[in-house]
Amino acid sequence: MTEMTVPWQKALASWWESYVRRFWGRDEETDYHVRLKVAHTARVRNIARQLMHPRELPAQELALVDAAALLHDVGRFPQYWQYRTFRDLLSVDHADLGAKTLDEEGVWQWLPPEAAVVLRQAVVWHNKRALPPEAAGAAWLPAQVVRDADKLDIFDMLTTDKEYRMPPTDGISQAGGVSEEIADMVAAGRLGLPAQVKTAADQQAFRISWVYDLNTVEAVRYVDRAGFLPLLLAALPEGEAKVRIGQAVEACVKRRLATEA
């Protein structure tokens, strides 16, 4: 976590902690999922700090990045409470719910108006297929970094052998291979579509395609240093789809490391 260097950071952190406490104690299953998101949020904040460390940004910009990481998944708590799932396709868009929650909670009162706009946009945009054209400007860096840090932690959750390893997703069959449709998209250097995901293998290919959407070169370097790609690819079923996807994502990482060194 970053040191509190901007006055409103402390107010946001205090609100977040008190808000999350409302979701403890209903039952063991809910507590487990709350713990998952509390721990995920802490790791995303830490990753965001690591990504920005080489840039030596002013305190205000670092505070916006840190706050975006803190708030990005606030919608997960009411989402699970109401729907008992984290899968947006089976419930509600958790980023939109997060922005609505922050509005209803009056969180923006503690921030300068321009900072509130930036953070609300970062929350809404963090899970969308791509950043919209209006993301240019002050919202650009926080939105980019929180998207990258979120993906990097999920890559870690998918490949770690620690207790925070990603659990199976609701409504996804563990049997079956990668569909031709999603394999073709990812092998062509494009992001997969959530609606294409029918099996755990499809979901793995979809998540691997996030490599194409990493916004910062720092995130690409993080993927390379952590050795995520071989581990992510190892979870795909053997076959032509795995080979094609592996060649495409590995080439993407090599190209970006070479051109943005």
Side-chain angles (χ1 to χ4, degrees):
M1 301 214 180
T2 61
E3 181 182 354
M4 300 297 179
T5 55
V6 175
W8 48 259
Q9 281 184 282
K10 186 173 182 179
L12 278 187
S14 178
W15 170 83
W16 186 88
E17 291 174 3
S18 65
Y19 181 72
V20 171
R21 281 198 294 271
R22 301 179 201 175
F23 299 93
W24 291 110
R26 181 168 74 171
D27 54 57
E28 185 175 341
E29 183 180 3
T30 300
D31 285 354
Y32 166 76
H33 286 85
V34 170
R35 283 195 299 272
L36 283 180
K37 289 306 171 182
V38 169
H40 169 68
T41 298
R43 292 193 304 270
V44 169
R45 290 181 78 185
N46 184 53
I47 293 169
R49 178 183 60 80
Q50 291 181 55
L51 295 180
M52 291 298 94
H53 179 72
R55 299 197 184 193
E56 299 183 350
L57 296 173
Q60 180 73 15
E61 288 188 64
L62 287 173
L64 286 171
V65 169
D66 179 65
L70 173 69
L71 300 177
H72 83 283
D73 257 359
V74 74
R76 288 300 196 186
F77 302 104
Q79 179 190 40
Y80 193 84
W81 189 268
Q82 182 173 353
Y83 300 100
R84 300 192 77 88
T85 182
F86 286 143
R87 194 175 179 203
D88 289 9
L89 287 176
L90 299 180
S91 56
V92 65
D93 184 307
H94 73 278
D96 293 344
L97 180 58
K100 180 182 177 184
T101 297
L102 294 165
D103 292 344
E104 292 174 347
E105 290 285 318
V107 169
W108 311 125
Q109 65 182 304
W110 301 306
L111 283 75
E114 62 276 12
V117 170
V118 166
L119 290 181
R120 192 182 193 283
Q121 290 171 328
V123 170
V124 170
W125 295 337
H126 89 268
N127 72 332
K128 301 302 186 281
R129 182 170 173 80
L131 285 172
E134 61 266 30
W140 187 245
L141 186 64
Q144 283 187 316
V145 176
V146 75
R147 285 170 66 91
D148 284 359
D150 192 28
K151 291 178 175 65
L152 292 173
D153 187 55
I154 294 172
F155 286 163
D156 188 23
M157 293 174 72
L158 290 168
T159 56
T160 188
D161 58 1
K162 296 180 180 177
E163 69 280 358
Y164 60 87
R165 184 173 176 83
M166 180 75 75
T169 302
D170 301 332
I172 298 291
S173 171
Q174 297 303 302
V178 180
S179 71
E180 184 176 352
E181 184 181 26
I182 198 167
D184 286 346
M185 288 193 72
V186 181
R190 292 180 292 173
L191 289 169
L193 296 169
Q196 295 173 323
V197 173
K198 301 294 188 291
T199 69
D202 286 339
Q203 187 177 52
Q204 187 76 357
F206 167 74
R207 287 166 167 165
I208 289 171
S209 77
W210 292 347
V211 168
Y212 303 137
D213 188 50
L214 294 176
N215 296 280
T216 63
V217 68
E218 290 90 351
V220 180
R221 291 173 183 147
Y222 192 109
V223 166
D224 186 53
R225 288 196 306 269
F228 284 147
L229 280 187
L231 297 172
L232 291 166
L233 291 166
L236 289 177
E238 295 297 330
E240 181 187 0
K242 177 177 181 175
V243 172
R244 293 167 59 216
I245 289 170
Q247 289 174 341
V249 294
E250 288 168 353
C252 173
V253 168
K254 288 179 181 178
R255 182 171 59 251
R256 289 199 60 186
L257 289 175
T259 58
E260 301 183 50

